[in-house]
Amino acid sequence: MDGRDLVRSVKSVGSSGAAQRLRTVAAAWRRRRADAGALPARGAERARVPGPVREVEPGPGGGVVRFARSELRVLVTAGGAVFWGWDGAGPEPSYALAGRCPEPDPRAVLEPDKDGGWRVVAERMTVVVSRHGAVEVRTPGGVTLRRDLPPRWWEPVGGGAGRWMQRSEVAADARFFGLGGRASGPRLRDGTYRLWNSDPGRPLGAGLDPLFLTMPTQLVVADAATHLVFHDCSWDGTVTLREGGEGAGSGHDRPGACELRMDGGPLRCWVIVGTPARVLLGWAALTGAPALPPAWALGHQHAVRGAGSEQEVRRVVSGFQEHGLPLDAVHLDGGFLDGGRAFGVDLERFPKLAVLADEVRRDGVRLVSAVEPAVAAEPGDAVFDGGTALEAFVRDSSGRLVRGVARPGESVFPDFTHARVRAWWGGLYAERLGQGFAGFWHTMDEPTTFAAFGETTLPRSAAHSLEGRGGDHREAHNVYGLCMARAAWEGLRELAPEERPFVLSRSGWAGSQRYGGAWCGDVAAGWPGLRAVLSMVMGLGLSGIPYAGTDVGGAGGQVSPELLVRWLQLGAYLPLFRTHAGARVGRRELWESGDEVLEHARVALVERRRLSPYFMTVAQLARRTGAPWVRPLWWGAPEDRALRECEDAFLLGDCLLVAPVLEPGADRRAVRLPRGRWYDTVTERVYEGPGQVLVEAPLSRVPVFARAGAVVPVRGDDGGVELEVWAPAPGRSGGGLLVTDTGDGGDEPEPERYAVRWTGRRLVVEREGEGGFEEPARPVRVRGLGGGPAQ
């Protein structure tokens, strides 16, 4: 932090009073002074590269290749993922992995290759190691997908941990996706992206980077195959990407390039190759299945932000009911309850919180509580006293408590990288459960405070347990939010085993999906913000976190009625659908935004509720397969280059294509369709893909298409599940799945499988049973029979 950062910190809390500003500056200087005294100064460094091969030691699933100045371990797992690590780095310990490293594939062997190199042949790829340390990933047919050049380390002359760089090349036609939630995506253009979870300190937009949830996970899509590469290192770093180019005529191709620079930590990575669906399945097997949200979390949620009371909550709930607007949950932020004090409640404003929670639950509405990691550093505060007795809070290198300025004032922070601390923190949620809260929304969990926007709250030299290994905040920062989510999820599973936990986190890392979903933070109010929402949700899904979203309307500015309607229409099809209001964000309730907004809002919210069985099916399948809910149009055809260029529409599960309106004044828009027949779900007009079509997009709706032959489970007028069947093209068949919710417990029901086929001029819909196909027991409504081709 330099002088400009200090000035920015002061301005960020300028309305909080002189005392708060002084505490902010003091905390910033303490952080800077602690790091200056505890972290080694970067002095003279010595560069190192692997050098030539000296010897090879084959082993299960691969082996070890020793070079003159380094060694490389290669391991092919039974699931098809390939790991390699330099300088003795192994797959464990890792916060990304779901348990232990998978077993090695006994069929994979390390064998000599040409020019003095070595190779390991796996079922879906071949890994070739050159005699100077380059690592190449090829398809079984020999096409090169990725080539990592020999890495380079810079190590202090006097000894100690060094920083490193890995340069890579990919196919000329390859496109980059992933890296967590990025506002400038979903396709990642040429540029440098930082790997450091950060609060930008203002509503985010496409030009801000880094953001709250980053991870070194790239999904690279090329004609030959899709591959995912994950560098399992949580230190601060950057990724510089450059797309390639194909030479015209006799010109040479220019490969795409990636340069990864890390300030320390192990150089180790995982690679998974295949179709996008197979790659994300392998990623979920490696890092854990996504947590299944409770059924109510698939509906419409609303955040009330700023100081409030029980009367305000009742007013909000009754307002939605009176205006015919479906509502499933109300989120209360830290300032709403008790100024952000950990698990605190202002009893004057909320004297009977449990009664309130029970009252709104009878109306079908759950309460969700914001939780922040900052604990007021005040003796007498129950959480502070309990954590102090347990030695739960982060300390600096001298053993003193690290203090920062957060919502409660001067604060301390739990070390969630210690199992004992996670167990203690998870137990604290019992009080919130007793008050009637059904879910939890983690924020400021990068961690950050009012003194550290864009920077770390804790000194980089602050000590962390790191599961008993010991280390500092340079390694722990990016996994802090993940470990906090783990503490909550494990605590809630123990406290309420009969219910599925709902944990929504602003920060996280690879593997966060095991413990819940992601809230993408405050997005800037405006049309660029609307586009950024889609980018972040899709990027998180391709990074393994399928349940994600942000607040409809954004924050930090006025929203026109048109923009609010278009934001509602997009949000209704995203995994997390949350509106918000309150003095702090300058937002009125939907029924206070004008009759036109109210009318269109009601349509969007009712459609979300109608599709609730489909959302549950998509969520259940994501848990089983790792496939994101929101998918790019190229998901089923990554070789289609036109689809790879499309970033303004998405697939929702297997059945629906959503084309949101992302520009002002538009009443028509072009939509790129994948191969096959598609129906406009309102007009039932028929469109044939692949190709681009121009469709109507009045303010009353956004274009949504159903795939021909799809079976879409929907909510009927009686609240039961109906099957909306879209007729396949003549001579073709179709089908679909329905996975019902068995309650808030941990049971996973078997999918109901349906087949759709033509028998002459008669369309037959059948359910697959144990003895064959049988007639569905659910109501069936066939659509698309009367829809003609688009003119």
Side-chain angles (χ1 to χ4, degrees):
M1 172 176 281
D2 57 20
R4 287 175 296 179
D5 297 321
L6 286 175
V7 170
R8 185 168 172 233
S9 294
V10 171
K11 288 182 178 179
S12 69
V13 294
S15 60
S16 302
Q20 182 84 322
R21 291 198 296 271
L22 289 175
R23 285 196 296 268
T24 296
V25 174
W29 275 113
R30 283 199 303 268
R31 223 173 31 249
R32 184 180 184 187
R33 187 172 62 248
D35 285 344
L39 294 179
R42 179 173 291 176
E45 295 177 320
R46 180 183 296 109
R48 173 170 64 90
V49 294
V53 171
R54 290 289 187 247
E55 60 178 335
V56 172
E57 180 183 333
V64 176
V65 182
R66 294 188 176 89
F67 299 85
R69 292 176 290 277
S70 189
E71 69 176 35
L72 173 69
R73 178 186 178 187
V74 181
L75 171 68
V76 178
T77 68
V82 174
F83 168 87
W84 65 77
W86 288 92
D87 290 344
E92 301 175 28
S94 169
Y95 282 103
L97 297 186
R100 302 300 302 272
C101 174
E103 293 295 318
D105 185 347
R107 300 168 297 174
V109 295
L110 188 63
E111 58 189 28
D113 194 47
K114 61 183 180 180
D115 298 327
W118 294 79
R119 67 180 181 182
V120 181
V121 180
E123 181 180 358
R124 300 189 185 101
M125 73 184 95
T126 298
V127 180
V128 179
V129 182
S130 78
R131 62 191 180 95
H132 287 290
V135 181
E136 197 167 299
V137 177
R138 299 174 183 168
T139 67
V143 178
T144 299
L145 297 177
R146 186 179 195 90
R147 184 171 186 266
D148 283 4
L149 303 178
R152 183 182 297 269
W153 293 266
W154 288 270
E155 298 165 334
V157 172
R163 53 195 179 96
W164 52 267
M165 175 187 70
Q166 175 71 73
R167 288 195 175 110
S168 309
E169 296 177 347
V170 297
D173 67 285
R175 296 294 180 261
F176 298 100
F177 301 85
L179 295 182
R182 303 285 172 169
S184 57
R187 174 180 154 198
L188 302 175
R189 262 52 177 207
D190 295 1
T192 298
Y193 303 85
R194 191 178 175 195
L195 300 168
W196 189 252
N197 293 346
S198 302
D199 179 359
R202 62 186 186 276
L204 61 93
L208 286 179
D209 190 271
L211 297 178
F212 310 99
L213 201 164
T214 71
M215 62 179 81
T217 305
Q218 299 172 41
L219 191 71
V220 186
V221 183
D223 287 354
T226 297
H227 74 273
L228 180 147
V229 58
F230 167 57
H231 287 88
D232 195 352
C233 177
S234 62
W235 286 59
D236 194 358
T238 59
V239 178
T240 301
L241 303 176
R242 188 196 67 195
E243 293 182 347
E246 295 177 297
S250 59
H252 294 289
D253 288 351
R254 176 173 56 82
C258 167
E259 180 181 284
L260 175 64
R261 291 177 176 266
M262 303 297 282
D263 286 349
L267 202 176
R268 55 183 182 176
C269 77
W270 290 88
V271 176
I272 305 173
V273 173
T275 64
R278 185 181 290 275
V279 165
L280 268 295
L281 176 63
W283 179 241
L286 193 66
T287 63
L292 183 66
W296 57 263
L298 304 182
H300 168 228
Q301 304 176 55
H302 184 71
V304 187
R305 304 172 71 179
S309 64
E310 290 182 3
Q311 290 70 28
E312 176 68 8
V313 175
R314 289 189 177 93
R315 185 189 72 83
V316 169
V317 173
S318 63
F320 277 97
Q321 293 173 337
E322 291 169 5
H323 292 87
L325 302 172
L327 179 66
D328 296 276
V330 172
H331 294 228
L332 308 180
D333 76 358
F336 197 97
L337 287 169
D338 188 21
R341 186 177 296 273
F343 301 99
V345 173
D346 186 334
L347 295 179
E348 291 187 5
R349 293 186 288 121
F350 293 89
K352 297 180 179 179
L353 190 53
V355 174
L356 171 68
D358 184 64
E359 178 184 316
V360 299
R361 182 173 289 212
R362 288 196 297 270
D363 293 327
V365 178
R366 269 68 172 183
L367 292 186
V368 176
S369 170
V371 177
E372 299 177 5
V375 175
E378 298 177 4
D381 179 273
V383 180
F384 177 75
D385 290 346
T388 301
L390 193 68
E391 297 184 351
F393 300 120
V394 175
R395 297 176 179 269
D396 62 21
S397 57
S398 302
R400 295 170 299 201
L401 285 178
V402 174
R403 299 170 185 261
V405 179
R407 201 189 304 269
E410 190 169 63
S411 305
V412 293
F413 300 85
D415 181 8
F416 294 118
T417 69
H418 197 300
R420 185 180 71 246
V421 176
R422 289 196 297 270
W424 163 72
W425 186 265
L428 297 177
Y429 289 77
E431 182 177 358
R432 282 287 194 255
L433 291 177
Q435 293 161 346
F437 285 99
F440 301 92
W441 160 34
H442 291 177
T443 184
M444 308 290 280
D445 54 337
E446 290 72 31
T448 191
T449 69
F450 301 133
F453 288 136
E455 195 32 67
T456 175
T457 290
L458 305 176
R460 292 175 180 248
S461 58
H464 286 267
S465 169
L466 292 168
E467 316 310 321
R469 294 181 287 113
D472 59 39
H473 198 63
R474 292 176 296 178
E475 181 178 357
H477 175 81
N478 280 340
V479 299
Y480 190 90
L482 177 148
C483 292
M484 181 180 176
R486 178 182 177 182
W489 192 88
E490 291 177 345
L492 293 169
R493 291 297 293 171
E494 184 173 337
L495 293 167
E498 72 284 357
E499 297 184 4
R500 291 199 295 267
F502 178 74
V503 179
L504 192 64
S505 301
R506 190 171 78 171
S507 183
W509 205 61
S512 288
Q513 73 277 358
R514 301 191 295 264
Y515 313 117
W519 174 64
C520 300
D522 287 331
V523 177
W527 292 94
L530 178 61
R531 188 177 291 269
V533 170
L534 179 56
S535 298
M536 288 187 291
V537 171
M538 195 177 297
L540 285 167
L542 295 176
S543 300
I545 303 178
Y547 184 78
T550 189
D551 293 338
V552 167
Q558 295 299 315
V559 178
S560 68
E562 180 192 8
L563 175 57
L564 181 56
V565 168
R566 292 308 193 188
W567 211 310
L568 281 162
Q569 291 167 343
L570 170 61
Y573 295 99
L574 297 181
L576 172 64
F577 180 27
R578 193 175 91 167
T579 52
H580 69 159
R584 190 169 73 81
V585 293
R587 287 285 178 277
R588 297 176 294 177
E589 303 296 350
L590 292 177
W591 57 88
E592 299 171 339
S593 301
D595 292 341
E596 186 178 36
V597 170
L598 177 60
E599 177 186 353
H600 296 318
R602 185 180 296 114
V603 171
L605 269 61
V606 168
E607 178 66 4
R608 174 66 174 228
R609 177 155 289 184
R610 190 184 78 90
L611 288 174
S612 57
Y614 182 62
F615 273 97
M616 175 55 70
T617 297
V618 172
Q620 293 271 11
L621 295 178
R623 177 160 180 80
R624 290 164 167 80
T625 67
W629 305 16
V630 172
R631 308 169 185 176
L633 296 187
W634 49 258
W635 179 257
E639 71 284 354
D640 188 329
R641 298 190 181 188
L643 294 180
R644 291 210 298 257
E645 305 298 318
C646 182
E647 301 179 272
D648 61 355
F650 60 92
L651 300 173
L652 178 60
D654 292 323
C655 301
L656 300 180
L657 187 157
V658 182
V661 175
L662 305 176
E663 297 177 352
D667 57 6
R668 308 180 81 191
R669 64 151 294 174
V671 181
R672 176 71 60 178
L673 296 176
R675 182 177 300 279
R677 172 170 288 190
W678 297 87
Y679 294 96
D680 185 310
T681 57
V682 172
T683 66
E684 299 192 18
R685 287 184 176 178
V686 177
Y687 298 89
E688 298 289 343
Q692 182 169 279
V693 298
L694 186 64
V695 296
E696 299 295 324
L699 187 60
S700 59
R701 69 182 184 95
V702 295
V704 178
F705 300 86
R707 191 189 301 272
V711 178
V712 182
V714 298
R715 177 185 171 117
D717 294 336
D718 62 354
V721 177
E722 297 180 355
L723 303 178
E724 190 172 83
V725 177
W726 291 90
R732 296 189 175 272
S733 59
L737 299 173
L738 165 63
V739 188
T740 56
D741 186 27
T742 58
D744 288 337
D747 295 338
E748 293 190 359
E750 286 297 316
E752 298 178 18
R753 302 178 184 276
Y754 294 92
V756 182
R757 58 185 175 85
W758 289 102
T759 302
R761 301 186 64 180
R762 178 169 172 263
L763 188 64
V764 177
V765 181
E766 298 174 308
R767 177 181 174 180
E768 182 180 339
E770 293 183 0
F773 287 95
E774 57 192 32
E775 194 167 317
R778 302 182 184 277
V780 174
R781 184 160 61 101
V782 178
R783 300 189 62 185
L785 293 177
Q791 300 298 319

